[in-house]
Amino acid sequence: MEWDGTARACSKMAQMLTSCGDRVCLVGPLKCGKTSLLFQLPLLNTSGLSPSAHLLRSIKFQYSSTLRELVSVFDTLHLAARDEVPTCIIVDNLCHYFAAQQQSRWQDLAADMAYTCAHIVDGVEFVTQQQSSPCSLIVSLGQPSSIRTELVKRWLPSIMEIAAAPGANNSDRENYSILHNKKTIATYAVEGSRLYFL
């Protein structure tokens, strides 16, 4: 999805993230632009300036296929050299890893989510101790679910929810609000393959 990277949009997103703290959980419906928002967040700054070439070169993507691989990524953060620790970690669609396991009982899902979130946060807290500024953690859960959201709240206390916004929605354009503590902090639209702030 193409993203409107104007100075206004960059500034608004950076302020939004800063106001939510260092550990953020993003929930929202399918096709609302969550992944596009997630991948833009490390590039943002409050001045609205474009990211530097140095910043762009420092971004590393790592994709995990299984829950075990994801947990391993966070466990190995303890072994990273001091100059190789990240300043921001993003996990897109955490629930994808649990859907693949097809837990038959709610208790199994809860235990697996607690185990995984504890490993993720432990790795992030270790990284934060290794550098002078906090390592940000942003996790998306996929489809909103009160059960999943409640399960991760202990580890990711700041929940940002994407919800359909009133406005000029039609077959080509959907408006969304980003809510934090039930307050709208940003509004954006998805039109075709483009995401932009209103």
Side-chain angles (χ1 to χ4, degrees):
M1 182 173 292
E2 183 184 336
W3 188 75
D4 171 11
T6 63
R8 179 178 160 264
C10 287
S11 179
K12 191 168 191 102
M13 280 300 292
Q15 289 168 358
M16 178 182 69
L17 183 60
T18 303
S19 71
C20 293
D22 296 327
R23 291 188 283 166
V24 177
C25 179
L26 182 65
V27 296
L30 291 173
K31 298 185 179 186
C32 69
K34 274 190 311 286
T35 298
S36 292
L37 288 170
L38 286 174
F39 282 98
Q40 295 300 322
L41 291 175
L43 304 176
L44 305 177
N45 57 60
T46 53
S47 66
L49 299 174
S50 296
S52 68
H54 173 72
L55 174 64
L56 292 173
R57 282 192 301 274
S58 70
I59 294 174
K60 294 177 179 67
F61 292 93
Q62 183 165 355
Y63 296 94
S64 303
S65 300
T66 66
L67 184 57
R68 180 173 286 180
E69 286 178 14
L70 178 69
V71 169
S72 177
V73 166
F74 286 92
D75 288 347
T76 58
L77 287 173
H78 293 270
L79 304 173
R82 187 167 264 222
D83 61 341
E84 293 178 3
V85 294
T87 57
C88 180
I89 298 175
I90 297 171
V91 178
D92 189 19
N93 198 1
L94 181 63
C95 290
H96 158 78
Y97 297 100
F98 302 106
Q101 289 191 276
Q102 299 185 357
Q103 279 95 353
S104 57
R105 297 181 358 195
W106 182 88
Q107 291 89 348
D108 293 339
L109 171 65
D112 281 349
M113 285 189 86
Y115 173 84
T116 303
C117 288
H119 279 264
I120 289 172
V121 170
D122 180 66
V124 169
E125 287 179 357
F126 176 81
V127 167
T128 295
Q129 292 171 5
Q130 300 303 306
Q131 53 196 19
S132 58
S133 60
C135 175
S136 297
L137 173 64
I138 307 158
V139 176
S140 78
L141 288 183
Q143 289 275 60
S145 159
S146 59
I147 293 171
R148 287 189 295 242
T149 303
E150 285 303 314
L151 285 172
V152 301
K153 241 183 193 174
R154 176 177 178 186
W155 295 274
L156 304 166
S158 190
I159 307 290
M160 289 175 22
E161 184 176 351
I162 297 174
N169 291 331
N170 59 46
S171 61
D172 296 327
R173 176 178 155 175
E174 293 288 326
N175 291 340
Y176 294 97
S177 293
I178 301 174
L179 308 165
H180 184 249
N181 295 329
K182 303 200 185 297
K183 239 174 66 176
T184 300
I185 56 175
T187 305
Y188 67 94
V190 175
E191 191 168 353
S193 65
R194 185 158 183 232
L195 185 148
Y196 56 94
F197 283 88
L198 303 173

